[in-house]
Amino acid sequence: EVDRRERGSFQHEILKEFHRRLQAQGQRWRDVSTAEARALVCRIGNELTPAFRGGLFLASASGRFTARTLVEALEQLMEALIGWAEQYRFDPHAVEVSFGLKESPLPAWRIDLGEGHALRLRGRIDRVDLCRAADSDAALAVIVDYKSRGRPFDTVKLRHGLELQLLAYLGVLSHLADPQGEFKAARLVPAGVF
């Protein structure tokens, strides 16, 4: 069944492949035009649709329609993101960055709770954008979390510790013992979340 989770996973796969292909060509997101970005997303979407979850989207007319709709939504998103690149000094550096999971290149964030107890935070970050200062070996880091539906930031939930996902991701990055291997920076400085 094409549920909300499958739709999100499909779009994440397309965005991951978009980033991978640009990196393979030595390009940054800002190096392509909005038309080129839309075309690449469309091509990737068309390639992934038949293979995704054993052809899940091809099993019915509604599935095929859903796949087309999801790809078109990503084309629009990419047009906006590439359009903003002119005024955005950060560059997408890594996507689907897992930490603390079996296949993860990064360790879990271990938070000492005292009295011999600790919390090990693990998960996956949708996108990490970096801005490198010319006179420093550190990089400013921004977390980008993709949402298919707009959701306003809730400051009340933040104050009461209920809206911490993206800030926790910044904590993971800022507490890495050696970010050099994955991020080519001696230190990552939290700068924001979107």
Side-chain angles (χ1 to χ4, degrees):
E1 181 180 329
V2 180
D3 59 17
R4 195 171 87 189
R5 184 172 185 213
E6 295 295 355
R7 291 191 298 267
S9 296
F10 178 65
Q11 288 185 308
H12 277 256
E13 284 298 315
I14 294 171
L15 292 167
K16 179 181 174 181
E17 183 62 15
F18 176 88
H19 183 75
R20 190 198 67 73
R21 288 189 190 184
L22 288 184
Q23 277 192 323
Q25 296 170 1
Q27 291 183 301
R28 300 171 300 170
W29 290 36
R30 70 179 64 248
D31 296 333
V32 297
S33 70
T34 55
E36 291 170 325
R38 284 187 75 116
L40 181 55
V41 164
C42 181
R43 191 165 49 253
I44 293 168
N46 290 337
E47 291 169 7
L48 289 181
T49 298
F52 184 79
R53 303 282 198 268
L56 176 66
F57 288 105
L58 299 181
S60 67
S62 65
R64 290 187 292 278
F65 174 79
T66 299
R68 283 194 306 275
T69 303
L70 293 172
V71 172
E72 288 171 7
L74 285 181
E75 288 179 52
Q76 292 172 4
L77 171 67
M78 203 49 68
E79 184 172 351
L81 293 176
I82 299 298
W84 294 337
E86 291 179 22
Q87 60 194 18
Y88 183 61
R89 302 236 186 255
F90 289 76
D91 284 304
H93 177 80
V95 296
E96 300 298 321
V97 179
S98 63
F99 57 95
L101 302 173
K102 286 182 182 179
E103 75 283 356
S104 300
L106 302 176
W109 179 19
R110 186 181 185 282
I111 302 170
D112 185 11
L113 301 177
E115 299 181 17
H117 300 283
L119 171 73
R120 292 176 48 87
L121 186 65
R122 60 191 176 106
R124 184 170 287 113
I125 303 168
D126 289 353
R127 195 174 96 198
V128 177
D129 295 359
L130 299 180
C131 179
R132 299 175 192 283
D135 58 345
S136 173
D137 59 355
L140 297 173
V142 163
I143 299 294
V144 177
D145 191 58
Y146 301 118
K147 298 290 183 212
S148 58
R149 289 182 277 160
R151 197 180 81 187
F153 189 73
D154 190 328
T155 55
V156 172
K157 287 183 178 179
L158 174 66
R159 275 191 227 112
H160 295 296
L162 301 174
E163 186 89 24
L164 298 177
Q165 176 190 8
L166 302 183
L167 299 178
Y169 290 167
L170 277 179
V172 168
L173 296 181
S174 66
H175 285 87
L176 288 175
D178 181 24
Q180 189 69 38
E182 190 73 21
F183 297 102
K184 312 291 188 263
R187 188 169 52 94
L188 296 177
V189 179
V193 297
F194 297 101

